[in-house]
């Protein structure tokens, strides 16, 4: 069975910011290493020239996706209306940036700040998330943008840690353009295995991140990628599969700290990306235990 999922890569494998020069570098490297899609974090994107980036992406024949988390002072899961409003504003602006880049997916922790919370999300906070995401999903639909709810681990959010939680939040938002985004790194911490969550999400799966348990080279950790990819193929998932890896070799101020990227897991992004693409393509083409 041959899958034809677009294979993507996170820009932080290449560069630590979104200045025009860094965006050009990321696009060139992504193309050279054979990927189909480039994901930009909008965490620190003030320098991003969307018109220029869009033109360069189109010229390189690359698709684009955007991701982000919110911030402690701009958090739609909060109960302070001013903090919620700033979070909603970040989301609205991020939808516009995604559209301006020519993208059709904004994903990530769109429901809370990227931080370790010291309490469970409150009922009022969750109601704020639902109200804001309904509004943002409406605007996103007008711009042909889909919102992804990335399932993140307990140290990065208190809103949803499992695929099951994400489905319930998406049900409450009730918009057709909200999809579930699963990530092997987070699944490894929170889920029972790498099969049941995919089957529960089914055709509501809209985006996938592939990362090792230590977020370094694929295949050098202990994640059961045979089960992960065999299930993806088996449920007929046809969407993007994006490689995510972080090292202290490339630092994005803000995001790298929020993700606790303290270790130097690799230094050569090109070698990392080349090996990762072959690993993903190989697993998508020939799932474990199946011929050809
Ligand atoms: Mn991820």
């Amino acid at each position: 069975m041959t899958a034809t999922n677009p294979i993507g890569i996170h820009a932080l494998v290449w560069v630590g910011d979104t200045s025009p020069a860094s965006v050009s570098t990321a696009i060139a490297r992504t193309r050279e290493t054979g990927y189909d899609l480039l994901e930009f974090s909008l965490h620190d994107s003030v320098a991003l020239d969307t018109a220029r980036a869009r033109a360069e992406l189109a010229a390189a024949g690359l698709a684009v996706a955007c991701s982000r988390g919110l911030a402690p002072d701009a958090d739609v899961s909060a109960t302070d209306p001013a903090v919620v409003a700033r979070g909603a504003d970040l989301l609205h602006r991020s939808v516009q940036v995604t559209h301006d880049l020519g993208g059709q997916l904004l994903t990530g922790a769109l429901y809370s700040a990227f931080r370790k919370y010291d309490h469970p999300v409150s009922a009022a906070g969750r109601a704020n998330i639902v109200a804001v995401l309904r509004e943002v999903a409406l605007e996103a639909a007008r711009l042909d943008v889909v919102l992804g709810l990335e399932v993140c681990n307990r140290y990065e959010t208190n809103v949803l840690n499992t695929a099951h939680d994400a489905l319930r939040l998406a049900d409450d938002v009730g918009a057709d353009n909200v999809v579930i985004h699963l990530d092997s790194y987070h699944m490894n911490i929170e889920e029972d295995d790498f099969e049941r969550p995919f089957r529960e999400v089914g055709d509501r799966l809209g985006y996938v991140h592939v990362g090792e348990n230590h977020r370094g080279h694929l295949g050098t950790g202990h994640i059961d990628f045979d089960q992960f990819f065999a299930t993806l193929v088996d449920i007929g998932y046809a969407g993007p599969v994006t490689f995510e890896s972080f090292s202290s070799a490339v630092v994005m101020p803000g995001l790298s700290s929020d993700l606790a990227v303290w270790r130097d897991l690799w230094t050569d992004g090109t070698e990392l990306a080349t090996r990762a693409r072959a690993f993903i393509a190989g697993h998508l083409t020939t799932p474990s235990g199946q011929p050809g």
Side-chain angles (χ1 to χ4, degrees), residues 39 150-152 181-183 185-186 209-210 215 244 246:
E39 177 180 323
E150 181 171 11
V151 181
C152 294
H181 166 177
L182 293 180
D183 177 324
Y185 168 81
H186 299 291
H209 271 163
V210 178
R215 298 193 121 154
E244 219 177 20
F246 306 103

Side-chain angles (χ1 to χ4, degrees), residues 23-216:
V23 168
S24 296
T25 298
I27 290 170
R29 299 277 188 279
T30 299
R31 187 162 185 257
E32 285 160 13
T33 46
Y35 284 85
D36 310 302
L37 177 152
L38 180 57
E39 177 180 323
F40 287 109
S41 167
L42 303 183
H43 216 74
D44 289 295
S45 59
V46 277
L48 181 60
D49 180 337
T50 51
R52 178 184 158 137
R54 179 184 185 134
E56 289 185 22
L57 286 159
L62 293 177
V64 64
C66 295
S67 60
R68 73 163 311 129
L70 300 176
D73 68 342
D75 179 356
V76 299
S77 75
T79 49
D80 177 341
V83 174
V84 174
R86 283 194 292 269
D89 185 54
L90 268 188
L91 290 174
H92 282 291
R93 283 192 280 133
S94 299
V95 166
Q96 188 65 51
V97 168
T98 302
H99 175 71
D100 292 348
L101 282 173
Q104 291 179 311
L105 177 76
L106 171 66
T107 188
L110 305 182
Y111 43 77
S112 72
F114 244 137
R115 56 171 284 214
K116 182 180 179 298
Y117 286 82
D118 59 6
H119 54 81
V121 67
S122 67
R126 195 175 185 287
N128 289 335
I129 298 168
V130 171
V132 170
L133 287 182
R134 277 183 186 158
E135 205 182 280
V136 174
L138 270 179
E139 189 205 332
R142 283 194 289 273
L143 296 176
D144 201 20
V145 169
V146 168
L147 303 179
L149 301 179
E150 181 171 11
V151 181
C152 294
N153 74 74
R154 66 190 70 186
Y155 305 110
E156 297 182 13
T157 184
N158 61 355
V159 172
L160 52 87
N161 300 138
T162 64
H164 186 80
D165 293 344
L167 286 166
R168 297 295 76 78
L169 181 61
D171 287 344
D172 290 347
V173 174
D176 290 342
N177 62 328
V178 172
V179 298
I180 308 302
H181 166 177
L182 293 180
D183 177 324
S184 57
Y185 168 81
H186 299 291
M187 292 172 80
N188 176 60
I189 297 173
E190 302 290 353
E191 305 282 5
D192 298 339
D193 56 40
F194 297 98
E195 176 171 0
R196 194 203 50 76
F198 286 124
R199 298 208 183 276
E200 184 175 358
V201 172
D203 62 7
R204 298 169 76 183
L205 187 66
Y207 200 62
V208 170
H209 271 163
V210 178
E212 258 299 355
N213 60 282
H214 48 41
R215 298 193 121 154

